[in-house]
Amino acid sequence: MNSGFDWNAVDEALPLLLHGFKITLLATVLGTLVAAVLGLAIAVAGRTPSRFVTVPVRVVMEFVRSTPLLVQLVGAAAVFSSVEPLTVGIVVLGIHYAAYTSEVYRAGIDGVPKGQWEACRALSLSPRRTWQAVILPQAVRNVLPALGNYAISMFKETPFLAVITVQEMAFEARKYGGDHFVYTEAFTLAGVIFLVASYPTSLLMRKLEKRLGH
């Protein structure tokens, strides 16, 4: 085995890892959409007066927050063994992060001035119109940077999908390393790709925070 860094291995592994990166990116984008939509639904449901809605939602969300993502992935893959692993991974990622984005949305909704709610009641706006036209536009604008940060975190946790045989980038790096006994080169390259993809996004989130006045 060569004790030095094998640049030839990097050249060979790059196409495989870029193919895996496509799966990583797909899982991140779709998982973020699930988390954003489901998290908002949970936050709105949490404000309903009915305990038949709020209590079950709270119990499920506490369970999700209190258990590791890895355990959730393995458990879901075992229960839904007939479902495509990538689909299971996307749904689990989305639900896992929805438990956190729901709290972000809740903070954003609570941050809407009370005068806005009172004005809606004074204008006799329906609850649906109040949420759609007044509350949510303000709340979502306030929490966009936090939602972006969770998307970056999800991107960095996609390697967990390898445990349920999703052929994302970390899976390809481990496979190439095992086949050619060059784990250092494969995982170093994977790390560089993660850095190149996530760092510019982090900078964009910082600019967004400044623009929105956070």
Side-chain angles (χ1 to χ4, degrees):
M1 181 185 298
N2 188 358
S3 59
F5 194 85
D6 189 351
W7 290 101
N8 290 328
V10 172
D11 291 337
E12 292 179 356
L14 182 59
L16 295 174
L17 267 61
L18 289 178
H19 174 73
F21 177 75
K22 295 178 182 178
I23 304 300
T24 295
L25 191 59
L26 177 64
T28 302
V29 171
L30 295 182
T32 299
L33 289 175
V34 172
V37 174
L38 182 59
L40 179 58
I42 292 169
V44 174
R47 298 181 67 88
T48 61
S50 174
R51 291 177 59 85
F52 291 103
V53 175
T54 58
V55 172
V57 168
R58 189 179 302 119
V59 170
V60 172
M61 290 301 99
E62 286 301 324
F63 170 80
V64 172
R65 291 193 201 97
S66 302
T67 54
L69 175 60
L70 185 62
V71 173
Q72 295 169 18
L73 284 168
V74 173
V79 173
F80 301 101
S81 57
S82 60
V83 180
E84 179 72 23
L86 178 59
T87 302
V88 173
I90 290 170
V91 172
V92 172
L93 281 173
I95 294 175
H96 181 83
Y97 275 90
Y100 298 97
T101 58
S102 64
E103 289 300 304
V104 173
Y105 282 122
R106 183 186 62 79
I109 293 170
D110 290 343
V112 176
K114 292 183 179 179
Q116 299 288 321
W117 296 91
E118 294 171 357
C120 291
R121 286 194 292 269
L123 293 171
S124 300
L125 295 182
S126 65
R128 180 177 179 179
R129 183 64 176 168
T130 298
W131 280 101
Q132 289 183 343
V134 180
I135 304 303
L136 290 183
Q138 297 181 66
V140 172
R141 180 181 182 275
N142 291 335
V143 302
L144 277 178
L147 295 177
N149 290 332
Y150 275 123
I152 295 172
S153 297
M154 183 186 298
F155 173 67
K156 293 186 292 186
E157 289 197 339
T158 52
F160 283 124
L161 299 182
V163 302
I164 58 172
T165 70
V166 175
Q167 297 182 356
E168 47 70 61
M169 189 161 56
F171 180 95
E172 294 290 356
R174 185 179 63 179
K175 184 176 183 299
Y176 182 87
D179 292 341
H180 300 85
F181 302 101
V182 284
Y183 287 101
T184 299
E185 289 80 355
F187 279 101
T188 298
L189 180 57
V192 169
I193 295 174
F194 270 114
L195 176 62
V196 170
S198 62
Y199 185 65
T201 307
S202 299
L203 294 179
L204 288 175
M205 287 300 104
R206 291 177 189 174
K207 289 184 178 180
L208 182 60
E209 289 178 6
K210 292 180 180 179
R211 177 167 293 186
L212 295 178
H214 290 273

